[in-house]
Coordinates of all heavy atoms in Angstrom, one line a residue:
N5 N 13.2 -3.0 -4.7 CA 12.2 -2.0 -4.4 C 11.1 -1.9 -5.4 O 10.4 -0.9 -5.3 CB 12.9 -0.7 -4.0 CG 13.5 -0.1 -5.4 OD1 13.7 -0.8 -6.3 ND2 14.1 1.1 -5.2
V6 N 11.0 -2.8 -6.3 CA 9.9 -2.8 -7.3 C 8.6 -3.2 -6.7 O 8.5 -4.2 -6.0 CB 10.3 -3.8 -8.5 CG1 9.2 -3.8 -9.5 CG2 11.7 -3.4 -9.1
T7 N 7.7 -2.4 -7.0 CA 6.2 -2.6 -6.5 C 5.3 -2.8 -7.7 O 5.6 -2.3 -8.8 CB 5.8 -1.5 -5.7 OG1 5.7 -0.2 -6.3 CG2 6.7 -1.3 -4.4
E8 N 4.3 -3.4 -7.4 CA 3.1 -3.5 -8.4 C 1.8 -3.1 -7.6 O 1.5 -3.7 -6.6 CB 3.0 -4.9 -9.0 CG 2.0 -5.1 -10.0 CD 1.8 -6.5 -10.5 OE1 2.7 -7.3 -10.2 OE2 0.8 -6.8 -11.3
I9 N 1.2 -2.2 -8.1 CA 0.0 -1.7 -7.4 C -1.2 -1.6 -8.5 O -1.0 -1.0 -9.6 CB 0.3 -0.3 -6.8 CG1 1.4 -0.3 -5.9 CG2 -1.0 0.2 -6.1 CD1 1.8 1.0 -5.3
V10 N -2.3 -2.0 -8.1 CA -3.5 -2.0 -9.0 C -3.9 -0.6 -9.3 O -3.8 0.2 -8.5 CB -4.6 -2.8 -8.4 CG1 -5.2 -2.1 -7.2 CG2 -5.7 -3.2 -9.4
D11 N -4.3 -0.3 -10.5 CA -4.7 1.0 -11.0 C -5.6 1.7 -10.1 O -5.6 2.9 -9.9 CB -5.1 1.0 -12.4 CG -4.0 0.6 -13.4 OD1 -2.8 0.8 -13.0 OD2 -4.4 0.4 -14.6
S12 N -6.7 0.9 -9.5 CA -7.7 1.6 -8.8 C -7.3 2.3 -7.5 O -8.0 3.1 -6.9 CB -8.8 0.5 -8.5 OG -8.3 -0.5 -7.7
V13 N -6.1 1.8 -7.0 CA -5.6 2.4 -5.7 C -4.3 3.1 -5.9 O -3.7 3.7 -5.0 CB -5.4 1.3 -4.6 CG1 -6.7 0.7 -4.4 CG2 -4.3 0.3 -4.9
K14 N -3.7 3.1 -7.2 CA -2.4 3.7 -7.5 C -2.5 5.2 -7.1 O -3.4 5.9 -7.5 CB -2.0 3.5 -8.8 CG -0.6 3.9 -9.2 CD -0.2 3.5 -10.6 CE -0.3 2.0 -10.8 NZ 0.0 1.5 -12.2
G15 N -1.4 5.7 -6.4 CA -1.4 7.1 -5.9 C -2.0 7.3 -4.6 O -1.8 8.4 -4.0
R16 N -2.7 6.3 -4.1 CA -3.4 6.4 -2.8 C -2.9 5.4 -1.8 O -2.8 5.8 -0.6 CB -4.9 6.2 -2.9 CG -5.6 7.2 -3.8 CD -7.1 7.1 -3.8 NE -7.6 5.8 -4.3 CZ -8.3 4.9 -3.6 NH1 -8.5 5.2 -2.3 NH2 -8.6 3.8 -4.1
F17 N -2.5 4.2 -2.3 CA -1.9 3.1 -1.4 C -0.4 3.0 -1.6 O 0.0 3.2 -2.7 CB -2.6 1.8 -1.7 CG -4.1 1.7 -1.3 CD1 -4.8 2.8 -1.0 CD2 -4.7 0.5 -1.3 CE1 -6.2 2.8 -0.6 CE2 -6.0 0.4 -1.0 CZ -6.8 1.5 -0.6
T18 N 0.3 2.7 -0.5 CA 1.7 2.4 -0.6 C 2.0 1.1 0.1 O 1.6 0.9 1.3 CB 2.4 3.6 0.0 OG1 2.2 4.8 -0.7 CG2 4.0 3.3 -0.1
I19 N 2.8 0.3 -0.5 CA 3.1 -1.0 0.1 C 4.7 -0.8 0.6 O 5.4 -0.2 0.0 CB 3.0 -2.2 -0.8 CG1 3.3 -3.5 -0.1 CG2 3.9 -2.0 -2.0 CD1 3.0 -4.7 -0.9
S20 N 5.0 -1.4 1.8 CA 6.2 -1.3 2.3 C 6.5 -2.5 3.3 O 5.6 -3.2 3.6 CB 6.5 0.1 3.1 OG 5.6 0.2 4.1
R21 N 7.8 -2.5 3.8 CA 8.1 -3.6 4.7 C 9.2 -3.2 5.6 O 10.0 -2.3 5.1 CB 8.4 -4.9 3.9 CG 9.7 -4.8 3.1 CD 9.8 -6.1 2.2 NE 9.8 -7.3 3.0 CZ 9.5 -8.5 2.5 NH1 9.2 -8.5 1.1 NH2 9.6 -9.6 3.1
D22 N 9.3 -3.7 6.8 CA 10.4 -3.5 7.7 C 10.8 -4.9 8.1 O 10.2 -5.5 9.0 CB 9.9 -2.7 8.9 CG 11.1 -2.3 9.8 OD1 12.1 -3.0 9.7 OD2 10.9 -1.3 10.6
N23 N 11.9 -5.4 7.5 CA 12.4 -6.8 7.7 C 12.8 -7.0 9.1 O 12.8 -8.1 9.7 CB 13.4 -7.2 6.7 CG 12.9 -7.4 5.4 OD1 11.7 -7.7 5.2 ND2 13.7 -7.3 4.3
A24 N 13.3 -5.9 9.8 CA 13.9 -5.9 11.1 C 12.7 -6.2 12.1 O 13.0 -6.8 13.1 CB 14.6 -4.7 11.5
K25 N 11.5 -5.8 11.7 CA 10.3 -6.0 12.5 C 9.5 -7.2 12.1 O 8.4 -7.4 12.6 CB 9.5 -4.8 12.6 CG 10.2 -3.6 13.3 CD 9.3 -2.3 13.3 CE 10.0 -1.3 14.1 NZ 9.2 0.0 14.0
N26 N 9.9 -7.9 11.0 CA 9.1 -9.0 10.4 C 7.7 -8.5 10.0 O 6.7 -9.3 10.2 CB 9.1 -10.1 11.3 CG 10.5 -10.8 11.4 OD1 11.3 -10.8 10.5 ND2 10.6 -11.5 12.6
T27 N 7.6 -7.3 9.5 CA 6.3 -6.7 9.2 C 6.2 -6.1 8.0 O 7.1 -5.4 7.5 CB 5.9 -5.7 10.4 OG1 6.0 -6.3 11.6 CG2 4.6 -5.1 10.1
G28 N 5.1 -6.4 7.2 CA 4.7 -5.7 6.0 C 3.6 -4.7 6.3 O 2.8 -4.9 7.2
Y29 N 3.4 -3.6 5.5 CA 2.5 -2.6 5.7 C 1.7 -2.2 4.4 O 2.3 -2.4 3.3 CB 3.1 -1.3 6.2 CG 3.9 -1.5 7.4 CD1 5.3 -1.6 7.4 CD2 3.3 -1.4 8.7 CE1 6.0 -1.8 8.6 CE2 4.0 -1.6 9.8 CZ 5.4 -1.7 9.8 OH 6.1 -1.9 10.9
L30 N 0.5 -1.9 4.5 CA -0.2 -1.2 3.4 C -0.8 0.1 3.9 O -1.7 0.1 4.7 CB -1.4 -2.1 2.9 CG -2.1 -1.6 1.7 CD1 -1.1 -1.6 0.4 CD2 -3.3 -2.5 1.4
Q31 N -0.2 1.2 3.5 CA -0.7 2.5 3.9 C -1.8 2.9 2.9 O -1.5 3.0 1.7 CB 0.4 3.5 3.9 CG 0.0 5.0 4.2 CD -0.4 5.1 5.6 OE1 0.2 4.7 6.5 NE2 -1.6 5.8 5.8
M32 N -3.0 3.2 3.4 CA -4.1 3.5 2.5 C -4.5 4.9 2.9 O -5.0 5.2 4.0 CB -5.2 2.5 2.8 CG -4.8 1.1 2.7 SD -6.2 -0.1 2.8 CE -6.7 0.2 4.5
N33 N -4.4 5.8 1.9 CA -4.9 7.2 2.0 C -6.0 7.5 1.1 O -6.2 6.7 0.1 CB -3.6 8.2 1.8 CG -2.5 8.0 2.7 OD1 -2.7 7.7 3.9 ND2 -1.3 8.2 2.1
S34 N -6.7 8.6 1.3 CA -7.8 9.0 0.5 C -8.8 7.9 0.2 O -9.2 7.7 -0.9 CB -7.2 9.6 -0.8 OG -6.4 10.7 -0.6
L35 N -9.2 7.2 1.3 CA -10.0 6.1 1.1 C -11.4 6.4 0.6 O -11.9 7.5 0.9 CB -10.1 5.4 2.5 CG -8.9 4.5 2.9 CD1 -8.9 4.2 4.3 CD2 -8.8 3.2 2.1
K36 N -11.9 5.5 -0.2 CA -13.2 5.6 -0.9 C -14.1 4.5 -0.4 O -13.7 3.5 0.0 CB -13.1 5.6 -2.3 CG -12.1 6.7 -3.0 CD -11.9 6.5 -4.5 CE -11.0 7.5 -5.0 NZ -10.8 7.3 -6.5
P37 N -15.5 4.7 -0.5 CA -16.3 3.7 -0.1 C -16.0 2.4 -0.9 O -16.2 1.3 -0.3 CB -17.8 4.3 -0.4 CG -17.6 5.7 -0.3 CD -16.2 6.0 -0.7
E38 N -15.7 2.5 -2.1 CA -15.4 1.2 -2.9 C -14.2 0.5 -2.4 O -13.9 -0.6 -2.9 CB -15.4 1.6 -4.4 CG -14.3 2.7 -4.7 CD -15.0 4.1 -4.8 OE1 -15.9 4.4 -4.0 OE2 -14.7 4.8 -5.8
D39 N -13.4 1.1 -1.5 CA -12.2 0.4 -0.9 C -12.7 -0.6 0.2 O -11.9 -1.4 0.7 CB -11.3 1.3 -0.3 CG -10.6 2.2 -1.4 OD1 -10.2 1.7 -2.5 OD2 -10.4 3.4 -1.2

């Protein structure tokens, strides 16, 4: 469950996966124009 997240999005983006669905996700909150 170890993640690595770049500082510019840390605290706003979350990475996850659901192996049963063969799917990875990137949840992006508090989006900024520079994203």
